Amino acid sequence: MTTGRRRESALGYAVALITIAAVVRLIFATIITLPPDETYYWEWSRHLAAGYFDHPPAIALLIRAGTRLFGVSPLGVRIGSVAAGWLAALCLVLLARRIAGDRAACVAAVAITCLPLAAAGLILATPDAPLLCAVALTLLALDHALACPVGSRHSLRWWLVAGAALGIAFVSKYNAVLLPLGVCIAMLAVPTLRRQLRAPGPYAAAALAALIVLPVVLWNAQHGWASFRFQLAHGLGTGRGSPLSREASLIGGQLALVSPILFVLMAVAVVRAVRTGEPRRQMLASVAATVFVFFCISAWRRPAEANWQAPAYLPAVALLAAHPGSRVWRRWLTAGCALGAVMVLVIYVQAVVPVLPISANDDPTARGTGWDSLAVAMHRIGQRDTASRVWYGGDRYQEASEISFHLSDHPETFALNLGGRPNQYDFWPAFPDRARPGDALVIALEVQSADTASPVVRALAPFFSGARYAGIVDLRRGTEVRTRRRVWVLSGWLGGWPPPRPRP
C-alpha cells in the first residue's frame, strides 16, 4: 500500500509540474503578440481544407477550435497549441515511467519543463505543437504494444492507437515520416523487435495511418502536389553557403533549443540505450537518431531550420530520464536542467521586457510587434477614400495576414505575391476575383531600397487610375523601430491585372 501511494504521489508531482508549466505558457500566450507565421496559420483556419501549400491542416483545425471558444485573439489562436503541448508532456512522463519507474517520470517532467524548445515553442500556434503531441502519443502507444505478447489482442489494440496517432502526426507536419522510418530501422536491426513483423499489428497501424492522411494526399493530387513539392525543395534542395557552415548553424540551433548540457546528456543517453540490448529503449533510440541524423545529412545540401529536429528530443528526453547514471551524471543533469530553466526565464522576460543587447529586428521574440500600428495606419489611410470600396493587402503573406488579424472586422486581405515566394494565398480568390471596377487597394510593402516606387507598384499602376504614395509606417517594439513598411493607395481599379505567374 505504501509503495502504491508513493508511486501515485510521484506521478502526481510530475503531472502537477507539467500542468503548472502549461499554465505559465498559457499566460504568456495571451501576452505575446502574434508573429506573421501564426497569423498566416490563423488565415488558414478561416479557409479550412484538407491541405495547404506549406503544411498539412492540423494547426488550422486547432486554431479554428480555439478561436471558436475564445474569439480572434492571441489566446484563441494559441490555446490549442498549449493544450497539445501539455498532452505531449503527459505522454512523455508516462512513457518514462513505464521504462524506468517513478523517478524517471519526475525527471522527464523537469527536463521537458526546462527545455527552451518546449517552453517557447509550445506557446506558438505552429505545426510543431500538434506534431509533438502526436509523436509523443505514438511513442507511448508503441511502448505498450511492444510490452504485450507478440500478436496478442492487446498488442493489436495498442498498434492501432499508434497508427491513429501516427496519422495525426502526418496531418500535422510532413517530417513525421521519419518516425515510422526510425521504427522500421529498429525492427529490422533488433532480433527481438523483428518478431513483430510476423504479427498483424504493424501493418494494421500503417494502414490506419495511411487512411487518416489520405485526404492530405488527395488535396495534393488536386493541387499539383504543391505541398509535397514545396517541402521537398525546402528541405532537400540545394542551398547557398558551405556545408560546414550549415552544419555548424544547425548544431548551434540545437544547443539553443535544448541547452548545451542537456543536448550532450541526451546524446549520451541515446547512444547508451542502443548498447543496452533492451528492445523498447533501442526503439526510442532509433527514432531519435533517425530524425537527428537525417537533418544533419540534409543540412549538408541546404540550411535546415532548428525546429525540424524537434521530434528527436521526445524519445531522447524519455531515455535521458530513464538513464540511471552515477552521482556525477546526476550533477550534470541538475546543472543542465538549471541552465535550461535560466534560458527559459530569459526567453520569457525578453518577450515582454527586452533585456538582451540585441536589436528588435534581430530578436525572434519581437517578430509580432508593430503590426497593429501598421493595420491602424492603413485603415486610417483607406478611410480617406470614401468614394470607393477599399481593400487591403501586401505583396507577401506576412503583411496580408497581420493586417487582417489586427483590423477590428478582420476583412479578407490579399497577398499579391508579385515578388514574394508562392504561398497559400495563391490558391485563394485574388483581388481581381473579388473587386469591382473603381475599387481601391491599400498595400504595405517592405522597405528594401531608397527607391520609393517599388517594382510591385510599377506592375500594378497601369491597372488603376491613380497610385498615391501614403508614406512610411514604423513597426516598433516599444520605442525602438524594428522594421518599416511603405504604404501605397491604388485607387480606381480599371480592371485587368499583371500576368499571373505559374500557379505553385
Side-chain angles (χ1 to χ4, degrees):
M1 182 68 69
T2 303
T3 302
R5 288 179 179 175
R6 287 178 180 175
R7 287 175 60 85
E8 292 176 3
S9 178
L11 180 60
Y13 290 145
V15 173
L17 178 58
I18 62 173
T19 302
I20 292 171
V23 171
V24 172
R25 292 186 201 119
L26 191 61
I27 293 171
F28 279 91
T30 64
I31 297 174
I32 302 171
T33 53
L34 271 65
D37 281 356
E38 288 186 274
T39 54
Y40 181 42
Y41 301 140
W42 164 74
E43 280 284 20
W44 292 7
S45 75
R46 301 206 294 172
H47 304 79
L48 290 181
Y52 298 93
F53 178 80
D54 310 70
H55 294 291
I59 186 59
L61 295 171
L62 276 183
I63 294 174
R64 181 66 169 266
T67 53
R68 281 289 183 91
L69 292 173
F70 298 98
V72 179
S73 63
L75 175 61
V77 171
R78 289 170 169 159
I79 190 168
S81 293
V82 174
W86 178 85
L87 183 56
L90 177 62
C91 290
L92 196 59
V93 165
L94 295 176
L95 177 61
R97 185 177 186 238
R98 284 182 54 81
I99 296 173
D102 297 334
R103 178 187 174 276
C106 293
V107 172
V110 173
I112 196 67
T113 300
C114 295
L115 281 186
L117 167 68
L122 294 179
I123 288 177
L124 305 179
T126 68
D128 289 304
L131 171 68
L132 294 178
C133 178
V135 168
L137 180 56
T138 303
L139 295 175
L140 179 61
L142 276 174
D143 189 73
H144 275 278
L146 296 178
C148 296
V150 176
S152 67
R153 193 173 294 178
H154 287 299
S155 176
L156 178 59
R157 288 172 183 170
W158 281 111
W159 274 109
L160 289 174
V161 173
L166 179 61
I168 297 172
F170 282 141
V171 175
S172 300
K173 203 170 181 180
Y174 294 124
N175 63 350
V177 71
L178 298 175
L179 173 56
L181 177 61
V183 172
C184 289
I185 291 173
M187 293 177 71
L188 291 173
V190 180
T192 305
L193 296 176
R194 201 176 303 147
R195 293 202 298 267
Q196 296 285 342
L197 296 174
R198 298 195 292 268
Y203 308 102
L208 182 56
L211 184 64
I212 292 173
V213 80
L214 181 60
V216 179
V217 177
L218 294 177
W219 183 93
N220 271 275
Q222 295 165 1
H223 294 82
W225 307 103
S227 188
F228 292 163
R229 290 165 57 193
F230 169 72
Q231 288 297 345
L232 285 172
H234 188 42
L236 299 177
T238 57
R240 297 179 180 178
S242 70
L244 289 178
S245 66
R246 290 195 292 269
E247 293 291 346
S249 177
L250 178 63
I251 297 301
Q254 303 314 301
L255 298 181
L257 283 179
V258 298
S259 88
I261 298 175
L262 290 180
F263 177 81
V264 173
L265 293 181
M266 281 189 279
V268 172
V270 168
V271 172
R272 290 184 177 177
V274 174
R275 299 174 178 175
T276 59
E278 186 177 336
R280 289 158 61 192
R281 297 195 189 199
Q282 289 175 321
M283 173 75 79
L284 295 175
S286 177
V287 171
T290 299
V291 176
F292 189 84
V293 171
F294 177 87
F295 286 113
C296 286
I297 295 173
S298 73
W300 200 255
R301 289 176 50 85
R302 186 177 180 85
E305 297 179 18
N307 63 302
W308 291 355
Q309 293 182 318
Y313 294 112
L314 295 179
V317 167
L319 293 173
L320 172 70
H323 186 68
S326 61
R327 181 179 299 177
V328 174
W329 172 271
R330 290 194 291 271
R331 288 176 180 172
W332 277 110
L333 180 59
T334 301
C337 291
L339 176 59
V342 171
M343 294 172 67
V344 168
L345 179 62
V346 170
I347 292 171
Y348 284 165
V349 173
Q350 178 71 15
V352 180
V353 182
V355 294
L356 298 177
I358 55 177
S359 68
N361 196 39
D362 296 327
D363 185 358
T365 68
R367 290 174 183 166
T369 57
W371 295 105
D372 53 346
S373 300
L374 176 64
V376 169
M378 291 180 68
H379 182 67
R380 188 182 301 118
I381 292 168
Q383 290 300 102
R384 296 172 189 168
D385 192 347
T386 57
S388 60
R389 186 169 55 166
V390 179
W391 301 87
Y392 300 92
D395 188 48
R396 308 182 309 157
Y397 73 83
Q398 288 91 338
E399 287 80 12
S401 61
E402 287 281 0
I403 292 164
S404 180
F405 182 83
H406 287 289
L407 289 177
S408 59
D409 56 345
H410 310 296
E412 291 289 336
T413 55
F414 305 106
L416 308 179
N417 295 337
L418 296 176
R421 75 160 176 86
N423 55 66
Q424 183 59 31
Y425 281 91
D426 285 313
F427 295 109
W428 293 334
F431 179 80
D433 302 316
R434 291 187 175 274
R436 298 190 298 261
D439 286 359
L441 176 62
V442 181
I443 57 174
L445 302 174
E446 191 173 15
V447 178
Q448 295 181 330
S449 67
D451 185 9
T452 303
S454 74
V456 173
V457 176
R458 294 192 187 100
L460 293 175
F463 302 96
F464 291 84
S465 61
R468 175 171 61 88
Y469 175 56
I472 286 183
V473 177
D474 294 334
L475 278 65
R476 298 175 177 270
R477 180 182 65 181
T479 59
E480 183 182 2
V481 176
R482 185 175 63 83
T483 184
R484 315 178 87 188
R485 293 295 185 273
R486 286 194 173 99
V487 179
W488 281 82
V489 180
L490 305 171
S491 57
W493 184 48
L494 304 173
W497 200 248
R501 66 184 179 190
R503 285 256 175 177

